[in-house]
Amino acid sequence: MADSNGTLEYRVAIREAIAAEMERDETVVFFGEDVAIAGGVFAVTPGLYERFGDRVIDTPISELAMSAGAFGAAVTGLRPIFEIMFADFLLLAMDSLVNQAAKYWYVSNEQASCPLVVRAAMGAGGNFGAMHSQSPIPWLQGVPGLKVVAPATATDARALLRQSIRDDNPVAFLEHKRLYSVKDPVSDDDPEVLPLGKAAVVREGTDVTLVSISKGVRDCLRAADELSERGVNAEVVDLRSLRPLDTETVLNSVAKTNRVVIVEEGPLIGGWGANLMGIVAAEGLHDLDDAWTIACPETPIPYSPTLEDPFMPDEAKIVREVASRLGVDAEIATGA
Amino acid sequence: MADSNGTLEYRVAIREAIAAEMERDETVVFFGEDVAIAGGVFAVTPGLYERFGDRVIDTPISELAMSAGAFGAAVTGLRPIFEIMFADFLLLAMDSLVNQAAKYWYVSNEQASCPLVVRAAMGAGGNFGAMHSQSPIPWLQGVPGLKVVAPATATDARALLRQSIRDDNPVAFLEHKRLYSVKDPVSDDDPEVLPLGKAAVVREGTDVTLVSISKGVRDCLRAADELSERGVNAEVVDLRSLRPLDTETVLNSVAKTNRVVIVEEGPLIGGWGANLMGIVAAEGLHDLDDAWTIACPETPIPYSPTLEDPFMPDEAKIVREVASRLGVDAEIATGA
Amino acid sequence: MAEKTQSKAQGAEIDAQAARDLYRRMRLIRTFEDTVQQQFQKGNVHGTTHLYSGQEASGVGVCSMLTEGDKVAGTYRGHGHSIALGVSPQKLMDEMFGRETGACGGRAGSMNVVDVESGLIGCFGIVGGSIGAATGAALSEKLLKTGNVAVAFFGDGTSNQAYFHESLNWAQIEKLPVVFVCENNLYMEFTPIENVTAGAIGSRPQAMGIHYQQVDGNDVFAVREAAAEAIEHARSGAGPAFLETMTYRFVGHSRSDPGKYRKPGELDEWKQRDPLILGRQSLQERYGIESERLDEIDADVAKELQEIVERGLAAPFPDPANGGGEFK
Amino acid sequence: MAEKTQSKAQGAEIDAQAARDLYRRMRLIRTFEDTVQQQFQKGNVHGTTHLYSGQEASGVGVCSMLTEGDKVAGTYRGHGHSIALGVSPQKLMDEMFGRETGACGGRAGSMNVVDVESGLIGCFGIVGGSIGAATGAALSEKLLKTGNVAVAFFGDGTSNQAYFHESLNWAQIEKLPVVFVCENNLYMEFTPIENVTAGAIGSRPQAMGIHYQQVDGNDVFAVREAAAEAIEHARSGAGPAFLETMTYRFVGHSRSDPGKYRKPGELDEWKQRDPLILGRQSLQERYGIESERLDEIDADVAKELQEIVERGLAAPFPDPANGGGEFK
Ligand SMILES: Cc1ncc(C[n+]2csc(CCOP(=O)(O)OP(=O)(O)O)c2C)c(N)n1
Ligand SMILES: Cc1ncc(C[n+]2csc(CCOP(=O)(O)OP(=O)(O)O)c2C)c(N)n1
Ligand SMILES: [Mg+2]
Ligand SMILES: [Mg+2]
């Protein structure tokens, strides 16, 4: 629901999506550590336990049992949503997600689906240190059968989470911690659901295509604003999901702009950014005049603000790199 | 040691590397499930327990404790090697590998290193089914601090494993199951160790660069032989490791051939192949006339031979695709 | 699932016909496994297999006490769990053969069979997976108020693994209707279980206050009785039950197994307690069924397996063009 | 590490000076944590913090019984473990401030501190990590025959997690010299531990035959005595020991915690058993140390912390150009 300013907070959007689907479908259940009585450590889920009773469950610190429990429940009639508090802890749950849930529909010869959603808070920028700041996308993207969704706005979060819950196979739904408190305008036309695997051109442009997901999209949009003041007209693509991966939307944009910059919060090597670049390059090689990826250094994520800030692929870095490669004055472009 | 034909079996190469390093350095220890008394389910490590006694340890089925145990031992004076029987089970051990071992040297501000090696048998082609056939590279490559090594030949395996054991930080050492029984010629000039992160041009050519790792390199070499009969002169690059990633060797080759084909046993989306392609494309865009990746379908790995065989990116597929894109008669090229 | 429905009505007490069925099912598993072994050697079964030979009374005894809608999670040693539950041996053999007519169309293979219609949510090639999955299935049964239970089969070696600990605790906290069946065949692969396990396995569930029983896993009637109690406990809402069936594997752990780890004489001793021998004795003693009648069953099963192999080898292989494309 | 070396020689019995040191160290932790809290509010400490206030006797009691070369693995609630072990509070505070002079040069932050020179192999932000790491460290001590032990600190809620089960079993099988210290503060974050834990935590190590003791975790002398026994057990080669210290957290779980989950009156009751109050009583009763002497210690510590903050805030931030480049 919109607040009095007509905006919706990201964390509220998540809560509303869960509530709406639990209302709509009795088989939807939700569990995680301190998600019920306490309402979650990021204050995302207060009120759900009061409203849905024993369908909202506080669990022990047992990430693997949660993941396997969601799998077992999903293949026997429930549609579980479960929360892994920090995405970094997904590593403890991965055997079940990857070896059980992601493979079930295919290996069972399509006898049965496995409709589960794992939600997790990801991302750096909050000085949480190396084990509470990672993006899990590199670990998860190369798993056929596991969809990976990461919304950039509150309204997208609501619609994509509702669709993820309705999806008949496993979805990793990743919420960037730096987005929980952002607010986005809502309107009556906002769709109830958005399809998984459909990217969006969130800003039209002609000179260069900026591609990202989750928080990175917001950085790209701000960078595009700044670049436009320097005469660079950037198009921005929000991938919304990394599996399924909508390469077509990216290729169409690149065919127009002939330049692509992919912005990833994570390492270059083994990251989704260069992976997408490789797919785009193979298919659209002769459309490309320039192409590069802006990612993080190849180290763990440091704690201190003076180390973490420059570690991030932020707006300033995007503006600087695009301006310099496109021959626009970088100094002016960074707003200095 | 070479057998009477002057060749070395891949599994023996692994065994010799472990034995040589245990001999050389008393702090090297080795543990895993049934690796000691039974000598390992792939018959890789018989004799080590008899030779090194309590430095070779049979463990319970506790992949996470093994991984964390290796970490704790590595930061307090041992150099553990441990075996995860099938690489698919690495998912159970990943929290410690990624959140503890890979980050230690950096996060501790370089106070201490974490010299451990995790060995695992990976790969499809043996009809082991979806949970015993995976390549774990997509899960592991995007982890700064964790080296990923996967040798293609017995002699490389020996030299790379010895160097991995000597390396001061964690290495995932991946052995393709279909390679254990291959034999490669040995010579007195074989190096004792090979550096990690250095690719090798294992066949020189001028028309197209084929890039792979592990078993894929052997498929590329055979494909190159066949292609040469059709007049296509392929260069083959063995990456040897995927982190560090030797993009320079690939770029140098591509500058010469102007065409690159990357062959990966794994999915395209989220895979290392397209990731490398993206890095190469960004740096060598204007050298490239053609570029594509040969990977597996985006599904789990099927069991039945009639499903698994065509699932693999094998020699025939490489020949067919290269021949067809280079305008050589594909039918002849496939050897039909 | 006629047998299962019947047995629910009766508790562990059964008539001669049902008793004969128990024996038949154990024989079916044994002959199935012998056949898999032969067919493996002929190159018709691929990859690897883990046979259930020697442990038949455990799976058959437990599954014979289940009822319509109950769920089972088996292991990579799952042919026995599957057949005990009522999965068609034809579909199972066809799966081993990698045929389109297999339980999973040839996609799964020996270690990962799923058969939803029988309640087999899956066989789990990765140790411990069955425990986590059955716990989740039990969450469904509880929240959907079905009155059903879920059963997890797993081995002794699995008690040292993450899924075991986390799932047992969660199941007990949530009072889930799940029965944990630990088939203790004394070895984790080639390693004697005591070498890798601290304390008795049974003391672990007991430390969590979980209802625990240990039973002779080679005596199908003893297993039935114990299973009746365990299942009743779980079904009643009192929380999980843990049943440890003491048994022994007569064949290699998987297809390549030197068997050197066995203690001298151990295999022979256990073979005297072969579940089929014990089963025959019980049928004679309890129901007066003559040896000849049981020989007839054996012959009948042998014939059934022959026909299964013939049909299976004649079945088509799956076409890679079907499915295998974009993931749903 | 003078205190530690000394205490080894003496066992749990100590003289007045050493007793005063124990008290001082507990006060140092408390004041350190209060200071972190203040500095967090001022924006000088970043991210999140989990304070040890109320649990001081546990860490100080255990670490006071360690000797040169012993290893400790702490948790995200690790400032107390670190200071108890002898990590410089200046280096620790500088780390919270994100400075180059911090224990890890500002790379680690509150949750992941490593201080090799003190034997702190790490603080583990991910629950259970400390257990696995200390078990591995104990493998080193055993195979390298150092005569040292490794200690894992962790909370009650962590007893439901994978690392706990797998590592305890392995440690017992291998008879590793590791002491598992479970600091039972009654809550897993905001959830009463009994809501998420089946049975008593202590019955779990006992089920594996692991030496187990439970002790009043707010009485530093009681903890010392129990720790002496546990450490001696581990050091002797008899295998791991498990010590459960019963205690209570006086502040929020982490920086944002409404505290609504506490039972009425519970906090007040525990505050009467504040380890610092109990410590003062013991020092008076056992050693006749007057209250004024202890007030002097308090004042001294307060001054020390003030200086620490001043120096810390004057220290340089790390330069991203140093390190952070290619991984070794
Ligand atoms: C997580 C995991 N680790 C290792 C293996 C390899 N493995 C397959 S069966 C087995 C032994 C299991 O022993 P137990 O639980 O006693 O069952 P049994 O085979 O005796 O029936 C092992 C180690 C596996 N499948 N999964
Ligand atoms: C694997 C994992 N899951 C969840 C968390 C988030 N978390 C941090 S502390 C904590 C509670 C731990 O409780 P307990 O073990 O009792 O220790 P305490 O905080 O009370 O000292 C949780 C759930 C985590 N850090 N790691
Ligand atoms: Mg066993
Ligand atoms: Mg606690």
Side-chain angles (χ1 to χ4, degrees):
Chain A
M1 257 178 28
D3 57 21
S4 57
N5 299 320
T7 62
L8 176 67
E9 195 178 357
Y10 195 92
R11 59 162 56 79
V12 176
I14 305 284
R15 187 186 313 154
E16 285 186 5
I18 298 173
E21 292 303 308
M22 290 190 80
E23 201 68 71
R24 187 176 161 272
D25 181 346
E26 286 212 328
T27 66
V28 177
V29 300
F30 173 50
F31 53 81
E33 294 159 19
D34 278 323
V35 298
I37 296 176
V41 298
F42 296 106
V44 173
T45 56
L48 294 178
Y49 172 68
E50 289 73 8
R51 194 158 154 200
F52 298 103
D54 68 2
R55 290 164 61 199
V56 181
I57 304 168
D58 281 327
T59 67
I61 310 177
S62 302
E63 280 79 8
L64 187 60
M66 283 164 61
S67 177
F71 162 75
V75 303
T76 54
L78 292 179
R79 300 184 91 84
I81 309 163
F82 70 105
E83 174 177 304
I84 296 288
M85 192 182 293
F86 284 77
D88 313 69
F89 313 159
L90 275 167
L91 293 165
L92 288 162
M94 270 183 75
D95 180 60
S96 176
L97 269 180
V98 174
N99 281 326
Q100 301 185 329
K103 300 190 180 5
Y104 199 68
W105 181 77
Y106 178 82
V107 171
S108 75
N109 205 24
E110 302 163 34
Q111 283 177 70
S113 300
C114 180
L116 67 81
V117 176
V118 51
R119 294 178 44 238
M122 69 165 177
N127 310 115
F128 279 88
M131 292 80 165
H132 287 71
S133 301
Q134 292 165 92
S135 159
I137 295 170
W139 316 327
L140 300 176
Q141 196 194 11
V143 181
L146 181 64
K147 299 186 181 72
V148 180
V149 178
T153 70
T155 43
D156 275 14
R158 189 168 55 183
L160 288 168
L161 182 51
R162 294 193 68 171
Q163 184 56 38
S164 295
I165 297 167
R166 292 183 201 179
D167 194 274
D168 281 336
N169 275 305
V171 178
F173 191 89
L174 304 172
E175 304 159 14
H176 199 293
K177 291 193 284 292
R178 308 311 289 168
L179 296 183
Y180 277 134
S181 298
V182 303
K183 295 180 178 186
D184 291 302
V186 282
S187 92
D188 291 345
D189 303 335
D190 289 332
E192 185 172 299
V193 296
L194 281 170
L196 308 184
K198 205 61 215 98
V201 176
V202 290
R203 178 191 168 112
E204 307 244 1
T206 49
D207 298 336
V208 59
T209 302
L210 308 179
V211 183
S212 197
I213 195 161
S214 186
K215 171 173 170 291
V217 174
R218 302 179 88 103
D219 296 331
C220 287
L221 283 169
R222 278 197 307 274
D225 280 347
E226 231 184 289
L227 285 165
S228 80
E229 289 174 30
R230 312 296 143 201
V232 176
N233 193 356
E235 177 144 315
V236 178
V237 175
D238 178 355
L239 291 169
R240 284 183 177 154
S241 81
L242 287 166
R243 178 180 290 274
L245 183 64
D246 182 0
T247 47
E248 200 184 312
T249 298
V250 179
L251 284 164
N252 288 341
S253 175
V254 167
K256 190 168 68 168
T257 64
N258 303 122
R259 292 191 193 89
V260 62
V261 183
I262 302 182
V263 179
E264 172 169 12
E265 185 186 316
L268 177 71
I269 297 171
W272 65 262
N275 179 271
L276 173 61
M277 185 65 85
I279 297 172
V280 167
E283 304 217 5
L285 188 61
H286 301 293
D287 283 334
L288 284 176
D289 290 336
D290 202 1
W292 76 99
T293 306
I294 300 180
C296 297
E298 303 289 330
T299 72
I301 301 163
Y303 157 75
S304 177
T306 64
L307 298 176
E308 197 190 35
D309 291 350
F311 186 87
M312 303 286 285
D314 60 1
E315 172 192 348
K317 204 176 280 179
I318 301 167
V319 170
R320 213 179 316 123
E321 293 206 12
V322 173
S324 111
R325 278 175 85 141
L326 267 66
V328 181
D329 188 339
E331 286 227 24
I332 304 180
T334 55
Chain B
M1 259 178 30
D3 57 22
S4 57
N5 299 319
T7 63
L8 175 68
E9 195 178 359
Y10 195 93
R11 60 161 55 81
V12 176
I14 306 285
R15 186 186 315 155
E16 286 187 2
I18 298 173
E21 292 303 308
M22 290 189 80
E23 201 68 71
R24 189 177 159 271
D25 180 347
E26 285 213 328
T27 65
V28 177
V29 300
F30 173 49
F31 54 81
E33 294 159 20
D34 277 325
V35 299
I37 296 175
V41 298
F42 296 105
V44 173
T45 56
L48 294 178
Y49 172 67
E50 289 72 9
R51 195 160 152 199
F52 298 103
D54 67 2
R55 290 164 61 199
V56 180
I57 305 168
D58 280 326
T59 67
I61 310 177
S62 303
E63 280 79 7
L64 187 60
M66 282 163 61
S67 176
F71 162 75
V75 303
T76 54
L78 292 178
R79 300 184 91 85
I81 309 163
F82 69 107
E83 174 176 303
I84 296 288
M85 193 183 294
F86 284 78
D88 314 69
F89 313 159
L90 275 167
L91 293 165
L92 288 161
M94 269 183 75
D95 180 61
S96 176
L97 269 180
V98 175
N99 281 327
Q100 301 185 329
K103 300 191 180 6
Y104 199 68
W105 181 76
Y106 177 82
V107 171
S108 75
N109 204 24
E110 304 163 35
Q111 282 177 69
S113 301
C114 180
L116 66 82
V117 175
V118 52
R119 293 178 45 239
M122 69 165 178
N127 309 115
F128 280 89
M131 292 78 166
H132 288 71
S133 302
Q134 295 165 91
S135 158
I137 295 170
W139 318 327
L140 300 176
Q141 196 196 10
V143 180
L146 181 64
K147 300 185 181 71
V148 180
V149 178
T153 69
T155 42
D156 276 13
R158 188 169 56 184
L160 287 168
L161 181 52
R162 293 194 68 171
Q163 183 56 39
S164 296
I165 296 168
R166 293 183 199 178
D167 193 274
D168 281 336
N169 274 305
V171 178
F173 191 88
L174 305 172
E175 303 159 14
H176 199 295
K177 291 192 283 293
R178 308 310 289 167
L179 296 184
Y180 278 135
S181 299
V182 303
K183 295 181 177 183
D184 291 302
V186 282
S187 91
D188 291 345
D189 303 336
D190 289 331
E192 185 172 299
V193 295
L194 279 171
L196 308 185
K198 207 60 216 93
V201 176
V202 290
R203 179 194 167 111
E204 307 244 359
T206 49
D207 299 336
V208 59
T209 302
L210 307 178
V211 184
S212 196
I213 194 161
S214 186
K215 171 173 169 294
V217 174
R218 302 178 87 102
D219 295 332
C220 287
L221 282 170
R222 278 195 307 273
D225 280 347
E226 231 183 289
L227 285 164
S228 78
E229 290 174 28
R230 313 296 144 200
V232 176
N233 194 355
E235 178 145 315
V236 178
V237 175
D238 177 355
L239 291 169
R240 285 184 176 152
S241 82
L242 287 165
R243 176 180 290 273
L245 183 64
D246 181 1
T247 47
E248 200 184 312
T249 297
V250 179
L251 284 164
N252 288 342
S253 175
V254 167
K256 190 168 66 168
T257 64
N258 303 124
R259 292 189 193 89
V260 61
V261 183
I262 302 181
V263 178
E264 173 169 13
E265 186 186 315
L268 177 71
I269 297 171
W272 65 263
N275 179 272
L276 173 61
M277 183 66 84
I279 296 172
V280 167
E283 304 218 5
L285 188 60
H286 301 292
D287 282 335
L288 285 175
D289 291 336
D290 202 1
W292 76 100
T293 307
I294 300 180
C296 297
E298 302 289 329
T299 71
I301 301 161
Y303 157 73
S304 177
T306 64
L307 299 175
E308 197 189 36
D309 292 349
F311 186 89
M312 303 287 284
D314 60 0
E315 172 192 348
K317 205 176 280 178
I318 300 166
V319 170
R320 213 180 314 123
E321 293 205 13
V322 172
S324 112
R325 278 176 86 142
L326 268 67
V328 181
D329 188 338
E331 286 226 25
I332 304 179
T334 54
Chain C
M1 312 234 299
E3 185 195 324
K4 284 188 285 169
T5 316
Q6 184 186 40
S7 61
K8 189 199 178 185
Q10 304 182 326
E13 294 299 312
I14 42 172
D15 63 18
Q17 179 54 39
R20 254 196 304 265
D21 283 352
L22 287 182
Y23 175 79
R24 188 183 197 284
R25 201 162 293 238
M26 292 198 293
R27 173 61 67 193
L28 184 59
I29 294 172
R30 177 70 55 85
T31 310
F32 186 93
E33 297 294 54
D34 290 345
T35 308
V36 168
Q37 180 66 14
Q38 288 154 15
Q39 293 299 319
F40 195 98
Q41 272 146 9
K42 290 191 181 165
N44 294 323
V45 174
H46 314 276
T48 188
T49 56
H50 303 73
L51 305 183
Y52 198 64
S53 313
Q55 307 187 188
E56 293 87 349
S58 174
V60 170
V62 170
C63 291
S64 73
M65 295 308 302
L66 295 176
T67 185
E68 192 71 42
D70 290 341
K71 310 295 185 300
V72 166
T75 67
Y76 49 87
R77 197 180 301 294
H79 311 163
H81 306 138
S82 303
I83 295 175
L85 182 63
V87 175
S88 144
Q90 181 75 59
K91 278 165 68 179
L92 202 61
M93 189 64 81
D94 290 6
E95 186 63 30
M96 309 297 114
F97 288 169
R99 307 299 163 126
E100 195 179 82
T101 47
C104 299
R107 291 186 185 174
S110 169
M111 291 195 273
N112 308 311
V113 173
V114 177
D115 192 57
V116 170
E117 114 192 316
S118 318
L120 183 71
I121 60 174
C123 291
F124 293 83
I126 292 184
V127 155
S130 59
I131 302 177
T135 301
L139 186 67
S140 285
E141 312 306 353
K142 178 187 165 190
L143 293 180
L144 298 172
K145 301 190 175 59
T146 60
N148 282 116
V149 301
V151 174
F153 288 102
F154 55 96
D156 45 286
T158 304
S159 64
N160 297 319
Q161 205 256 5
Y163 281 112
F164 175 93
H165 180 70
E166 293 193 353
S167 301
L168 259 65
N169 179 63
W170 198 28
Q172 173 71 337
I173 288 300
E174 292 293 332
K175 296 279 177 249
L176 300 182
V178 52
V179 180
F180 300 111
V181 181
C182 178
E183 303 188 305
N184 188 340
N185 62 7
L186 313 187
Y187 292 91
M188 165 216 146
E189 283 187 356
F190 318 136
T191 297
I193 188 62
E194 64 274 16
N195 291 10
V196 284
T197 313
I201 292 172
S203 52
R204 297 176 181 192
Q206 287 179 289
M208 296 183 180
I210 293 175
H211 180 89
Y212 169 78
Q213 301 153 262
Q214 192 185 55
V215 67
D216 178 351
N218 281 20
D219 177 346
V220 72
F221 291 98
V223 172
R224 263 179 73 82
E225 244 167 75
E229 180 182 325
I231 292 168
E232 172 50 29
H233 180 89
R235 211 186 292 282
S236 74
F242 191 109
L243 181 61
E244 184 178 13
T245 61
M246 303 305 296
T247 183
Y248 196 78
R249 166 167 56 67
F250 288 168
V251 295
H253 164 74
S254 64
R255 73 179 165 99
S256 54
D257 173 357
K260 279 188 296 192
Y261 48 84
R262 297 187 199 268
K263 291 163 190 105
E266 192 179 64
L267 179 58
D268 288 339
E269 261 175 52
W270 277 94
K271 284 215 163 164
Q272 292 175 6
R273 306 202 68 257
D274 186 328
L276 289 163
I277 296 180
L278 297 191
R280 290 177 83 106
Q281 283 170 1
S282 295
L283 288 183
Q284 284 162 8
E285 287 164 17
R286 297 189 186 203
Y287 299 94
I289 301 176
E290 285 157 39
S291 195
E292 292 69 37
R293 298 284 85 76
L294 298 168
D295 292 344
E296 282 167 25
I297 293 181
D298 294 358
D300 186 54
V301 165
K303 188 158 157 287
E304 182 177 345
L305 258 299
Q306 252 172 23
E307 290 165 7
I308 283 174
V309 168
E310 276 162 32
R311 279 192 296 265
L313 291 178
F317 279 102
D319 181 347
N322 297 337
E326 209 57 58
F327 214 90
K328 192 176 173 183
Chain D
M1 315 236 298
E3 184 194 325
K4 286 186 288 172
T5 316
Q6 184 187 41
S7 60
K8 188 198 176 186
Q10 304 183 326
E13 294 299 315
I14 42 172
D15 63 19
Q17 180 52 40
R20 254 196 303 264
D21 283 352
L22 287 183
Y23 175 79
R24 187 182 198 285
R25 201 163 290 240
M26 293 200 292
R27 173 61 68 194
L28 185 60
I29 294 172
R30 178 70 54 85
T31 310
F32 186 92
E33 296 295 53
D34 290 345
T35 307
V36 167
Q37 181 66 16
Q38 288 154 16
Q39 293 299 319
F40 195 98
Q41 272 145 11
K42 290 192 182 165
N44 294 324
V45 174
H46 314 275
T48 188
T49 57
H50 303 74
L51 306 183
Y52 198 64
S53 312
Q55 307 186 188
E56 292 86 351
S58 174
V60 170
V62 170
C63 291
S64 73
M65 295 308 302
L66 295 176
T67 184
E68 192 71 42
D70 290 341
K71 310 294 185 299
V72 166
T75 67
Y76 50 87
R77 196 179 301 294
H79 311 165
H81 305 139
S82 303
I83 295 176
L85 182 62
V87 175
S88 144
Q90 181 75 59
K91 278 165 68 178
L92 201 60
M93 188 65 80
D94 291 4
E95 186 64 29
M96 309 296 115
F97 289 169
R99 307 300 164 125
E100 195 178 83
T101 47
C104 298
R107 291 187 186 173
S110 170
M111 291 195 274
N112 308 312
V113 173
V114 177
D115 192 57
V116 170
E117 118 193 311
S118 317
L120 183 71
I121 60 174
C123 291
F124 293 84
I126 293 185
V127 154
S130 60
I131 303 176
T135 301
L139 186 66
S140 285
E141 312 306 355
K142 178 186 165 191
L143 293 181
L144 298 172
K145 302 191 175 59
T146 60
N148 281 117
V149 301
V151 174
F153 288 103
F154 56 96
D156 45 286
T158 305
S159 64
N160 297 317
Q161 206 257 5
Y163 280 113
F164 175 93
H165 180 71
E166 292 192 355
S167 301
L168 258 65
N169 179 63
W170 199 28
Q172 173 71 337
I173 287 302
E174 292 293 333
K175 296 277 177 254
L176 300 183
V178 53
V179 180
F180 300 111
V181 181
C182 178
E183 304 189 305
N184 187 340
N185 63 7
L186 313 187
Y187 292 91
M188 167 217 144
E189 283 187 355
F190 318 136
T191 297
I193 187 64
E194 62 274 17
N195 291 10
V196 285
T197 313
I201 292 172
S203 52
R204 296 175 181 193
Q206 287 178 293
M208 296 183 180
I210 293 175
H211 180 88
Y212 168 78
Q213 302 153 261
Q214 192 185 54
V215 68
D216 178 352
N218 282 21
D219 177 346
V220 71
F221 292 98
V223 172
R224 263 179 74 81
E225 244 167 75
E229 181 181 326
I231 293 168
E232 172 50 29
H233 179 90
R235 210 186 293 282
S236 74
F242 190 109
L243 181 60
E244 185 178 12
T245 60
M246 304 305 296
T247 184
Y248 196 77
R249 166 167 56 66
F250 288 169
V251 294
H253 164 73
S254 63
R255 68 179 171 99
S256 54
D257 173 358
K260 281 188 297 195
Y261 49 85
R262 296 187 199 269
K263 290 164 191 104
E266 192 179 67
L267 180 58
D268 289 340
E269 261 175 51
W270 277 94
K271 283 215 162 163
Q272 291 174 8
R273 306 203 66 258
D274 185 329
L276 289 163
I277 296 180
L278 297 192
R280 290 178 85 105
Q281 283 169 2
S282 295
L283 288 183
Q284 284 162 9
E285 286 163 18
R286 296 188 187 205
Y287 299 93
I289 302 177
E290 286 157 38
S291 196
E292 292 69 36
R293 296 286 85 76
L294 299 167
D295 292 344
E296 282 167 25
I297 293 181
D298 293 359
D300 185 54
V301 165
K303 185 154 160 288
E304 181 176 344
L305 257 300
Q306 253 173 21
E307 291 165 6
I308 283 174
V309 168
E310 276 162 33
R311 278 191 297 264
L313 291 177
F317 279 103
D319 182 346
N322 296 338
E326 210 56 59
F327 214 91
K328 192 176 174 183

